[in-house]
PDB file of all heavy atoms in Angstrom:
ATOM      1  N   GLY R 316       7.980  26.379  -2.048  1.00 98.00           N
ATOM      2  CA  GLY R 316       8.146  25.703  -3.332  1.00 98.00           C
ATOM      3  C   GLY R 316       8.139  24.185  -3.234  1.00 98.00           C
ATOM      4  O   GLY R 316       8.764  23.495  -4.050  1.00 98.00           O
ATOM      5  N   VAL R 317       7.422  23.652  -2.257  1.00 98.00           N
ATOM      6  CA  VAL R 317       7.348  22.182  -2.115  1.00 98.00           C
ATOM      7  C   VAL R 317       6.602  21.595  -3.320  1.00 98.00           C
ATOM      8  O   VAL R 317       5.552  22.108  -3.729  1.00 98.00           O
ATOM      9  CB  VAL R 317       6.621  21.807  -0.790  1.00 98.00           C
ATOM     10  CG1 VAL R 317       6.325  20.309  -0.730  1.00 98.00           C
ATOM     11  CG2 VAL R 317       7.460  22.251   0.410  1.00 98.00           C
ATOM     12  N   ASP R 318       7.162  20.546  -3.885  1.00 98.00           N
ATOM     13  CA  ASP R 318       6.542  19.868  -5.030  1.00 98.00           C
ATOM     14  C   ASP R 318       5.430  18.955  -4.497  1.00 98.00           C
ATOM     15  O   ASP R 318       5.700  18.013  -3.739  1.00 98.00           O
ATOM     16  CB  ASP R 318       7.625  19.052  -5.757  1.00 98.00           C
ATOM     17  CG  ASP R 318       7.050  18.289  -6.939  1.00 98.00           C
ATOM     18  OD1 ASP R 318       5.846  18.434  -7.224  1.00 98.00           O
ATOM     19  OD2 ASP R 318       7.822  17.532  -7.564  1.00 98.00           O
ATOM     20  N   ALA R 319       4.200  19.244  -4.901  1.00 98.00           N
ATOM     21  CA  ALA R 319       3.050  18.539  -4.319  1.00 98.00           C
ATOM     22  C   ALA R 319       2.725  17.223  -5.031  1.00 98.00           C
ATOM     23  O   ALA R 319       1.921  16.431  -4.527  1.00 98.00           O
ATOM     24  CB  ALA R 319       1.829  19.460  -4.370  1.00 98.00           C
ATOM     25  N   ALA R 320       3.354  16.978  -6.160  1.00 98.00           N
ATOM     26  CA  ALA R 320       2.936  15.850  -7.008  1.00 98.00           C
ATOM     27  C   ALA R 320       2.986  14.513  -6.262  1.00 98.00           C
ATOM     28  O   ALA R 320       4.018  14.150  -5.673  1.00 98.00           O
ATOM     29  CB  ALA R 320       3.835  15.790  -8.248  1.00 98.00           C
ATOM     30  N   GLY R 321       1.861  13.812  -6.283  1.00 98.00           N
ATOM     31  CA  GLY R 321       1.795  12.452  -5.740  1.00 98.00           C
ATOM     32  C   GLY R 321       1.872  12.368  -4.219  1.00 98.00           C
ATOM     33  O   GLY R 321       2.053  11.279  -3.673  1.00 98.00           O
ATOM     34  N   LYS R 322       1.735  13.502  -3.515  1.00 98.00           N
ATOM     35  CA  LYS R 322       1.860  13.453  -2.051  1.00 98.00           C
ATOM     36  C   LYS R 322       0.524  13.758  -1.378  1.00 98.00           C
ATOM     37  O   LYS R 322      -0.313  14.472  -1.936  1.00 98.00           O
ATOM     38  CB  LYS R 322       2.894  14.494  -1.579  1.00 98.00           C
ATOM     39  CG  LYS R 322       4.313  14.189  -2.039  1.00 98.00           C
ATOM     40  CD  LYS R 322       5.240  15.347  -1.702  1.00 98.00           C
ATOM     41  CE  LYS R 322       6.575  15.190  -2.413  1.00 98.00           C
ATOM     42  NZ  LYS R 322       7.298  16.452  -2.544  1.00 98.00           N
ATOM     43  N   THR R 323       0.347  13.258  -0.169  1.00 98.00           N
ATOM     44  CA  THR R 323      -0.854  13.604   0.603  1.00 98.00           C
ATOM     45  C   THR R 323      -0.738  15.049   1.096  1.00 98.00           C
ATOM     46  O   THR R 323       0.379  15.601   1.178  1.00 98.00           O
ATOM     47  CB  THR R 323      -0.999  12.704   1.843  1.00 98.00           C
ATOM     48  OG1 THR R 323       0.133  12.939   2.696  1.00 98.00           O
ATOM     49  CG2 THR R 323      -1.061  11.227   1.458  1.00 98.00           C
ATOM     50  N   ASP R 324      -1.890  15.611   1.461  1.00 98.00           N
ATOM     51  CA  ASP R 324      -1.872  16.979   2.002  1.00 98.00           C
ATOM     52  C   ASP R 324      -0.987  17.048   3.248  1.00 98.00           C
ATOM     53  O   ASP R 324      -0.247  18.016   3.447  1.00 98.00           O
ATOM     54  CB  ASP R 324      -3.301  17.417   2.378  1.00 98.00           C
ATOM     55  CG  ASP R 324      -4.155  17.657   1.140  1.00 98.00           C
ATOM     56  OD1 ASP R 324      -3.602  17.588   0.012  1.00 98.00           O
ATOM     57  OD2 ASP R 324      -5.369  17.895   1.302  1.00 98.00           O
ATOM     58  N   GLU R 325      -1.076  16.027   4.097  1.00 98.00           N
ATOM     59  CA  GLU R 325      -0.283  16.009   5.339  1.00 98.00           C
ATOM     60  C   GLU R 325       1.216  16.031   5.028  1.00 98.00           C
ATOM     61  O   GLU R 325       1.998  16.737   5.677  1.00 98.00           O
ATOM     62  CB  GLU R 325      -0.591  14.764   6.180  1.00 98.00           C
ATOM     63  CG  GLU R 325      -1.946  14.780   6.872  1.00 98.00           C
ATOM     64  CD  GLU R 325      -3.121  14.443   5.937  1.00 98.00           C
ATOM     65  OE1 GLU R 325      -2.874  14.145   4.750  1.00 98.00           O
ATOM     66  OE2 GLU R 325      -4.268  14.520   6.410  1.00 98.00           O
ATOM     67  N   ALA R 326       1.602  15.231   4.014  1.00 98.00           N
ATOM     68  CA  ALA R 326       3.031  15.162   3.667  1.00 98.00           C
ATOM     69  C   ALA R 326       3.517  16.505   3.123  1.00 98.00           C
ATOM     70  O   ALA R 326       4.606  16.983   3.483  1.00 98.00           O
ATOM     71  CB  ALA R 326       3.267  14.053   2.639  1.00 98.00           C
ATOM     72  N   ILE R 327       2.693  17.134   2.279  1.00 98.00           N
ATOM     73  CA  ILE R 327       3.073  18.437   1.711  1.00 98.00           C
ATOM     74  C   ILE R 327       3.225  19.471   2.828  1.00 98.00           C
ATOM     75  O   ILE R 327       4.230  20.185   2.912  1.00 98.00           O
ATOM     76  CB  ILE R 327       2.015  18.909   0.685  1.00 98.00           C
ATOM     77  CG1 ILE R 327       1.912  17.909  -0.468  1.00 98.00           C
ATOM     78  CG2 ILE R 327       2.330  20.300   0.162  1.00 98.00           C
ATOM     79  CD1 ILE R 327       0.637  18.060  -1.303  1.00 98.00           C
ATOM     80  N   ALA R 328       2.210  19.527   3.693  1.00 98.00           N
ATOM     81  CA  ALA R 328       2.239  20.505   4.794  1.00 98.00           C
ATOM     82  C   ALA R 328       3.451  20.268   5.690  1.00 98.00           C
ATOM     83  O   ALA R 328       4.136  21.223   6.102  1.00 98.00           O
ATOM     84  CB  ALA R 328       0.948  20.414   5.609  1.00 98.00           C
ATOM     85  N   GLY R 329       3.740  19.024   5.977  1.00 98.00           N
ATOM     86  CA  GLY R 329       4.895  18.677   6.826  1.00 98.00           C
ATOM     87  C   GLY R 329       6.205  19.103   6.177  1.00 98.00           C
ATOM     88  O   GLY R 329       7.116  19.607   6.853  1.00 98.00           O
ATOM     89  N   GLU R 330       6.292  18.941   4.863  1.00 98.00           N
ATOM     90  CA  GLU R 330       7.522  19.362   4.159  1.00 98.00           C
ATOM     91  C   GLU R 330       7.701  20.880   4.231  1.00 98.00           C
ATOM     92  O   GLU R 330       8.829  21.385   4.268  1.00 98.00           O
ATOM     93  CB  GLU R 330       7.487  18.920   2.685  1.00 98.00           C
ATOM     94  CG  GLU R 330       7.949  17.494   2.488  1.00 98.00           C
ATOM     95  CD  GLU R 330       8.066  17.128   1.007  1.00 98.00           C
ATOM     96  OE1 GLU R 330       8.571  17.946   0.209  1.00 98.00           O
ATOM     97  OE2 GLU R 330       7.619  16.021   0.658  1.00 98.00           O
ATOM     98  N   GLY R 331       6.595  21.596   4.225  1.00 98.00           N
ATOM     99  CA  GLY R 331       6.671  23.063   4.345  1.00 98.00           C
ATOM    100  C   GLY R 331       7.301  23.464   5.675  1.00 98.00           C
ATOM    101  O   GLY R 331       8.206  24.309   5.720  1.00 98.00           O
ATOM    102  N   LEU R 332       6.839  22.839   6.758  1.00 98.00           N
ATOM    103  CA  LEU R 332       7.415  23.184   8.066  1.00 98.00           C
ATOM    104  C   LEU R 332       8.864  22.709   8.178  1.00 98.00           C
ATOM    105  O   LEU R 332       9.683  23.356   8.832  1.00 98.00           O
ATOM    106  CB  LEU R 332       6.556  22.599   9.203  1.00 98.00           C
ATOM    107  CG  LEU R 332       5.210  23.301   9.409  1.00 98.00           C
ATOM    108  CD1 LEU R 332       4.472  22.711  10.612  1.00 98.00           C
ATOM    109  CD2 LEU R 332       5.373  24.815   9.598  1.00 98.00           C
ATOM    110  N   ALA R 333       9.176  21.609   7.510  1.00 98.00           N
ATOM    111  CA  ALA R 333      10.581  21.150   7.512  1.00 98.00           C
ATOM    112  C   ALA R 333      11.469  22.161   6.787  1.00 98.00           C
ATOM    113  O   ALA R 333      12.595  22.446   7.216  1.00 98.00           O
ATOM    114  CB  ALA R 333      10.679  19.772   6.861  1.00 98.00           C
ATOM    115  N   ALA R 334      10.951  22.707   5.683  1.00 98.00           N
ATOM    116  CA  ALA R 334      11.723  23.724   4.949  1.00 98.00           C
ATOM    117  C   ALA R 334      11.903  24.980   5.806  1.00 98.00           C
ATOM    118  O   ALA R 334      12.974  25.598   5.825  1.00 98.00           O
ATOM    119  CB  ALA R 334      11.015  24.070   3.637  1.00 98.00           C
ATOM    120  N   MET R 335      10.849  25.325   6.541  1.00 99.00           N
ATOM    121  CA  MET R 335      10.943  26.493   7.438  1.00 99.00           C
ATOM    122  C   MET R 335      11.992  26.223   8.525  1.00 99.00           C
ATOM    123  O   MET R 335      12.808  27.100   8.845  1.00 99.00           O
ATOM    124  CB  MET R 335       9.566  26.759   8.053  1.00 99.00           C
ATOM    125  CG  MET R 335       9.538  27.874   9.055  1.00 99.00           C
ATOM    126  SD  MET R 335       7.821  28.202   9.553  1.00 99.00           S
ATOM    127  CE  MET R 335       8.090  28.616  11.261  1.00 99.00           C
ATOM    128  N   GLU R 336      11.978  25.021   9.075  1.00 98.00           N
ATOM    129  CA  GLU R 336      12.965  24.669  10.106  1.00 98.00           C
ATOM    130  C   GLU R 336      14.388  24.771   9.552  1.00 98.00           C
ATOM    131  O   GLU R 336      15.286  25.314  10.202  1.00 98.00           O
ATOM    132  CB  GLU R 336      12.703  23.248  10.629  1.00 98.00           C
ATOM    133  CG  GLU R 336      13.753  22.832  11.649  1.00 98.00           C
ATOM    134  CD  GLU R 336      13.433  21.532  12.376  1.00 98.00           C
ATOM    135  OE1 GLU R 336      12.334  20.968  12.170  1.00 98.00           O
ATOM    136  OE2 GLU R 336      14.310  21.093  13.151  1.00 98.00           O
ATOM    137  N   ASP R 337      14.561  24.268   8.340  1.00 98.00           N
ATOM    138  CA  ASP R 337      15.886  24.315   7.708  1.00 98.00           C
ATOM    139  C   ASP R 337      16.358  25.778   7.579  1.00 98.00           C
ATOM    140  O   ASP R 337      17.495  26.110   7.902  1.00 98.00           O
ATOM    141  CB  ASP R 337      15.791  23.637   6.331  1.00 98.00           C
ATOM    142  CG  ASP R 337      17.125  23.661   5.621  1.00 98.00           C
ATOM    143  OD1 ASP R 337      18.092  23.164   6.211  1.00 98.00           O
ATOM    144  OD2 ASP R 337      17.200  24.209   4.489  1.00 98.00           O
TER     145      ASP R 337
END
Side-chain angles (χ1 to χ4, degrees):
V317 171
D318 179 3
K322 294 172 192 159
T323 63
D324 289 354
E325 287 78 3
I327 299 163
E330 276 187 42
L332 288 184
M335 176 174 145
E336 177 171 355
D337 180 56

